[in-house]
Amino acid sequence: MDFTFSQDQLLFQANVKSFFTNEVTPEHLREQWATDSGRSSALWAQLVELGLTSITVPETYGGLGMNELDFVLLAEECGYYALAEPLVQTMLLGVPLLAALDDGHQALKDTWLTRVVEGAARLAVGQPGNPLVADAHVADLLLMPHGDEVHALLPRDIDLTRNESVDPSRRLFRVDWTPSAATCVARGEQARQLWAITADRGALGTSAQLLGLAKRMVDLAVDYSFERKQFGKPVGSFQAVKHLMANVSVLIEFAKCPLYRAAHSLANGSTGQAVHISHAKLACSEAALLAAKNAIQVHGAMGYTWEVDLQLFMKRAWALDKEWGDRGAHKTRVRSALFSGALTPGAGATFAG
């Protein structure tokens, strides 16, 4: 299986990275903490200008019609810069969920998918079993689970209660609402399938962000290790410190292929996509959590303090580790596939098919 990205995909990633480097800085993130919404309409408008709100929208609605494999590198950059705006949730979860609704809801799709492309709408998606919804306060349309149903809700249909997160940039809310026939857009087997694929997309987007966060924490730790000196030498020159970062770098490299394979499987509807996504989530979570732990040690155990930039990315990694399935849930899915015979063990079969 060839995981080589096209020149267009890599160029798009490079352009996004260049933009984020200048606009999504730690200083910007801290400034947003002090605002009521924690979000920036000006930044969202810039994301629209870059075409990022068109990526996964089908061409029928004015979008670019791209898929999860096209978006995974951009989600990785969203993690690297700890982007607070709900770009991943809107483009990787909300848009595909809306687009997959049947023709009976064509007017809903026409209205909201077009508005997403224009930058006039942000979407929030509830996770079955999780009472908290990220960015529900800025969402123009919420797609919520209720048993074996999918409901589309407007801000007037809901009541929100803020819930604090370990990550100050994350805005989590309990959403109280009353299900009705008017808000229901899918039910039964169709709804179950929609939530299953949405959960996979959520895990993929979270995995990509975790990999980006791991890379950023390594970069911050390496930079700091050359700034701080002991015994007249940068601490980064000491072998013990090098080993801390080398151990994380190994996990990052080992996580890349499972992540990109999972994106490929999801984009192409592979029969093994569920296990591939769980593999990616486990690998990326492991890399991000070790990066947080070792980067704190490199910083002399001060990396978690408020004034150090590392804590921005470390806390995001802690939060995303349990988003769209914790490690226990994903290990269970891999174990079930392994012992049922659906998954062939061995290095030779790791990336087959």
Side-chain angles (χ1 to χ4, degrees):
M1 186 176 291
D2 184 4
F3 292 133
T4 304
F5 288 96
S6 69
Q7 288 300 314
D8 287 342
Q9 290 168 329
L10 294 174
L11 180 60
F12 207 166
Q13 179 193 23
N15 289 337
V16 169
K17 187 178 186 69
S18 177
F19 171 78
F20 283 174
T21 298
N22 295 319
E23 301 296 335
V24 188
T25 61
E27 292 75 20
H28 167 81
L29 295 175
R30 286 187 169 91
E31 288 174 2
Q32 293 308 116
W33 293 351
T35 65
D36 291 337
S37 69
R39 301 294 176 261
S40 170
S41 297
L43 178 57
W44 188 261
Q46 290 176 293
L47 299 178
V48 175
E49 290 180 9
L50 285 173
L52 297 183
T53 60
S54 302
I55 295 176
T56 58
V57 177
E59 295 179 8
T60 308
Y61 306 98
L64 298 176
M66 301 168 79
N67 58 33
E68 294 84 0
L69 190 60
D70 299 308
F71 191 76
V72 69
L73 291 176
L74 308 186
E76 198 174 313
E77 295 302 328
C78 290
Y80 187 90
Y81 292 92
L83 179 71
E85 309 303 319
L87 182 67
V88 175
Q89 183 172 202
T90 295
M91 303 314 302
L92 197 57
L93 281 73
V95 165
L97 180 53
L98 261 183
L101 296 178
D102 59 36
D103 293 339
H105 300 285
Q106 191 61 49
L108 180 74
K109 295 159 65 174
D110 288 340
T111 298
W112 288 103
L113 291 175
T114 301
R115 291 191 67 189
V116 168
V117 172
E118 295 171 348
R122 287 173 280 193
L123 308 179
V125 180
Q127 180 182 353
N130 187 342
L132 302 179
V133 181
D135 290 297
H137 65 311
V138 295
D140 301 284
L141 183 72
L142 292 88
L143 298 168
M144 297 292 294
H146 177 70
D148 291 335
E149 296 176 346
V150 180
H151 288 257
L153 307 171
L154 298 174
R156 66 170 180 262
D157 300 322
I158 62 176
D159 290 316
L160 300 178
T161 303
R162 174 81 183 274
N163 191 89
E164 294 295 333
S165 170
V166 66
D167 174 9
S169 290
R170 279 171 61 80
R171 298 298 171 97
L172 301 176
F173 294 85
R174 189 188 76 215
V175 181
D176 294 311
W177 56 286
T178 302
S180 69
T183 61
C184 184
V185 294
R187 56 171 53 89
E189 182 59 29
Q190 180 196 17
R192 286 192 290 271
Q193 291 179 2
L194 287 174
W195 283 124
I197 191 68
T198 298
D200 283 344
R201 288 195 181 98
L204 177 69
T206 302
S207 300
Q209 292 176 83
L210 284 166
L211 183 61
L213 287 163
K215 292 180 177 179
R216 183 60 176 272
M217 288 185 282
V218 168
D219 288 348
L220 288 171
V222 169
D223 289 345
Y224 179 81
S225 71
F226 282 99
E227 292 174 2
R228 183 176 178 182
K229 294 183 179 181
Q230 286 185 346
F231 309 111
K233 296 182 179 180
V235 296
S237 65
F238 302 147
Q239 190 173 34
V241 175
K242 292 179 180 179
H243 284 173
L244 289 174
M245 292 298 96
N247 290 340
V248 180
S249 296
V250 169
L251 292 186
I252 288 174
E253 291 303 313
F254 282 171
K256 286 181 181 177
C257 278
L259 174 64
Y260 303 150
R261 190 262 303 271
H264 181 276
S265 295
L266 192 54
N268 292 279
S270 169
T271 55
Q273 70 180 35
V275 175
H276 296 164
I277 287 167
S278 287
H279 183 189
K281 181 70 188 299
L282 290 167
C284 293
S285 289
E286 185 179 6
L289 293 179
L290 185 64
K293 176 185 175 182
N294 288 5
I296 289 175
Q297 288 186 268
V298 171
H299 279 74
M302 63 176 284
Y304 62 87
T305 56
W306 200 254
E307 67 273 14
V308 178
D309 288 347
L310 176 64
Q311 58 100 4
L312 301 172
F313 308 94
M314 175 190 69
K315 291 175 180 176
R316 178 66 59 86
W318 289 348
L320 294 184
D321 172 50
K322 297 175 176 61
E323 187 82 357
W324 293 100
D326 59 17
R327 280 169 287 163
H330 287 289
K331 284 180 180 179
T332 297
R333 191 151 71 166
V334 173
R335 182 195 63 195
S336 297
L338 183 63
F339 285 101
S340 69
L343 185 64
T344 303
T350 300
F351 297 109

